[in-house]
Amino acid sequence: MQIYRSGLLRFADDHSALYEEDGLLAVGPDAQGRQLVQAAGAWHALAPEYAQWPVVHWSGRIIAPGFIDMHMHFPQTDVIGSPADGLLPWLENYTFPHESRFADPAYAAGVAIVFLDELLRNGVTTALTFATSHPASVDALMNEAQARGLRLIAGKVLQDRHSPDGVRDETRQSLLDTEALIGRWHGKDRLGYAITPRFAPSCTEAQLRGAGELAARYPDVWVQSHVAENKDEIRWARELFPAARSYLAVYDDFGLMRERAVYAHCIHFDDADRALMRDTGAVAAVSPTSNLFLGSGFFDYAGADRVGFRYGLASDVGGGTSFSPFHTMLAAYYVGREGQTKPGLSLSPQALWWQHTAGAAQALGLTGVIGNLQPGCEADFVVLDPGATPLLARKTAHAANLDELLFALIVLGDDRVIERTVISQAK
């Protein structure tokens, strides 16, 4: 058992934040050796029960749940910040040429190290990420994540048409490779697999149908793709699938809308699309820095809440501009202020933080496993320094309540706030 004394942030079932200025976090192993939260709360209430155990004191710091990133592209680590006129030119000019290099296992392994280093440096302890169309890219990432004891979900991209040489795959082989990768990686240690059509226009009907059949055969794996990100992309999808009611409905037509299905962006929706998300249990990965960078549009928080489908936050590296959850949360705040049907929605600091931790865990079907520091959760956490920069220290010192403290961290914070990242099953 290890006892930590520090400020302590966690979340209640109603999504509200629970904060102890002087908190205690008790962490100990289960029968499988995973480090789980055994107790969390006020120091004065819990300390007598754990007096026999060693204590790590982090004075002036805050222990918080590790961040969860619901949508990333690990092969696009080096594509961040590439200038383009929009989504489709960006893919053509930067993304596809770079991803073709991941056929080389050694190259993929090198990028995997950098990618996971950046996740941990920024306090991200779980990520759902695309690999490339090359099985070797999945193996490289999973091997590195397993060696570190990380919880990670990833999948080989499916794209058998409208893709250049070097990234385009072959329909039958792509499905065979996907099933083999599920067998090799899903459920191994803290790893999970996601069936990964890149987006509907990049996949033939045969490939989408095969992906849906795999999703039915393996209901505990995830599904991930993109939808309704860009108006040109939507027009293209409608031309390619004229019988579908909408771009989103294409995925439903092929059996790819279900629990554990995560769709990035979900910007240009109508209420029928929102209801389809709700009724199938599919969830949105909201990617505000990417949407702002590529000029794609704004996720409609008010519409999602009104109809009632789930969502969480994502960086969408490399269309997204930063690995930092603080940058993502701040961009989501901008989207809430400016991008709604009725502009002026003010997402609270607690709601933003929840979307990147416990809310993302809920969207992934992992409530009570990750994203929180309640008893029974895996002990993935970050140690935050609210005085990491002079301006931040000045601001947080004058915070009158929890919302002011969290908002100061969101607005002024970056990777320097993450003093350390602790993994439940570090190797």
Side-chain angles (χ1 to χ4, degrees):
M1 187 81 70
Q2 180 64 65
I3 310 302
Y4 302 96
R5 184 177 186 179
S6 177
L8 179 63
L9 176 70
R10 60 201 198 284
F11 292 90
D13 292 342
D14 66 359
H15 309 172
S16 63
L18 304 172
Y19 182 65
E20 303 289 345
E21 288 189 10
D22 186 12
L24 180 149
L25 181 71
V27 173
D30 67 0
Q32 288 75 46
R34 296 178 305 158
Q35 294 294 311
L36 303 183
V37 176
Q38 305 295 330
W43 174 265
H44 68 85
L46 294 175
E49 183 178 350
Y50 295 95
Q52 73 272 34
W53 298 104
V55 178
V56 174
H57 294 265
W58 282 317
S59 179
R61 304 298 188 262
I62 300 168
I63 295 173
F67 291 103
I68 300 169
D69 197 318
M70 286 186 61
H71 176 66
M72 309 186 79
H73 294 260
F74 115 78
Q76 295 175 18
T77 300
D78 293 326
V79 181
I80 296 173
S82 300
D85 293 334
L87 171 65
L88 299 180
W90 179 80
L91 289 171
E92 179 181 354
N93 295 328
Y94 294 102
T95 303
F96 289 152
H98 188 71
E99 288 193 7
S100 68
R101 303 178 68 181
F102 285 76
D104 176 1
Y107 184 80
V111 177
I113 291 170
V114 175
F115 175 77
L116 296 179
D117 282 349
E118 283 298 301
L119 288 185
L120 293 173
R121 196 172 64 80
N122 284 278
V124 177
T125 54
T126 297
L128 173 62
T129 182
F130 281 46
T132 67
S133 57
H134 314 97
S137 68
V138 179
D139 290 334
L141 181 63
M142 294 296 209
N143 273 316
E144 185 64 26
Q146 187 177 44
R148 299 173 186 235
L150 277 169
R151 182 171 282 282
L152 188 85
I153 307 164
K156 173 199 134 42
V157 167
L158 301 172
Q159 52 181 123
D160 65 348
R161 67 168 173 174
H162 299 140
S163 304
D165 293 345
V167 296
R168 186 178 60 255
D169 56 16
E170 188 277 325
T171 307
R172 182 174 179 274
Q173 190 60 49
S174 72
L175 299 170
L176 292 172
D177 289 340
T178 295
E179 189 161 27
L181 289 163
I182 291 171
R184 185 146 68 244
W185 293 114
H186 186 68
K188 300 299 188 293
D189 293 333
R190 305 180 75 203
L191 304 176
Y193 195 84
I195 298 166
T196 308
R198 184 175 208 110
F199 64 145
S202 73
C203 302
T204 61
E205 292 190 7
Q207 191 174 53
L208 289 171
R209 187 176 302 108
E213 290 167 355
L214 287 172
R217 197 176 308 151
Y218 298 98
D220 63 331
V221 306
W222 283 265
V223 175
Q224 61 176 345
S225 194
H226 303 86
V227 71
E229 177 180 2
N230 173 281
K231 290 182 179 179
D232 289 338
E233 166 211 13
I234 293 168
R235 282 191 290 269
W236 190 22
R238 286 176 172 167
E239 291 170 2
L240 294 169
F241 301 95
R245 191 205 69 81
S246 69
Y247 183 2
L248 180 68
V250 172
Y251 296 107
D252 191 45
D253 292 343
F254 290 100
L256 292 165
M257 299 284 291
R258 61 164 174 80
E259 296 284 340
R260 292 197 169 195
V262 180
Y263 286 91
H265 307 297
C266 302
I267 297 170
H268 305 287
F269 271 6
D270 58 19
D271 274 358
D273 289 326
R274 296 182 183 104
L276 181 58
M277 294 286 286
R278 178 198 63 207
D279 295 343
T280 58
V283 299
V286 181
S287 307
T289 69
S290 169
N291 300 153
L292 293 169
F293 176 69
L294 292 171
S296 300
F298 304 97
F299 180 78
D300 188 346
Y301 279 100
D305 291 340
R306 173 170 47 78
V307 176
F309 72 89
R310 292 172 295 170
Y311 52 80
L313 280 175
S315 67
D316 193 22
V317 162
T321 54
S322 175
F323 280 82
S324 173
F326 301 106
H327 291 185
T328 301
M329 290 187 286
L330 181 57
Y333 180 78
Y334 295 154
V335 166
R337 297 294 293 171
E338 299 297 331
Q340 308 305 298
T341 307
K342 295 181 179 179
L345 174 70
S346 185
L347 295 169
S348 75
Q350 294 184 36
L352 290 165
W353 213 286
W354 182 85
Q355 286 180 52
H356 229 337
T357 54
Q362 181 190 76
L364 291 173
L366 293 172
T367 295
V369 179
I370 55 173
N372 210 342
L373 292 176
Q374 300 287 42
C377 289
E378 295 176 352
D380 292 338
F381 62 88
V382 292
V383 180
L384 308 175
D385 178 5
T389 69
L391 183 58
L392 181 62
R394 186 175 179 85
K395 184 66 176 177
T396 56
H398 294 96
N401 52 48
L402 179 59
D403 276 343
E404 289 188 4
L405 174 62
L406 295 180
F407 201 53
L409 289 164
I410 290 169
V411 173
L412 299 175
D414 54 28
D415 57 285
R416 291 170 290 181
V417 172
I418 307 297
E419 186 167 287
R420 69 185 69 211
T421 303
V422 179
I423 298 299
S424 169
Q425 196 179 335
K427 299 285 185 173

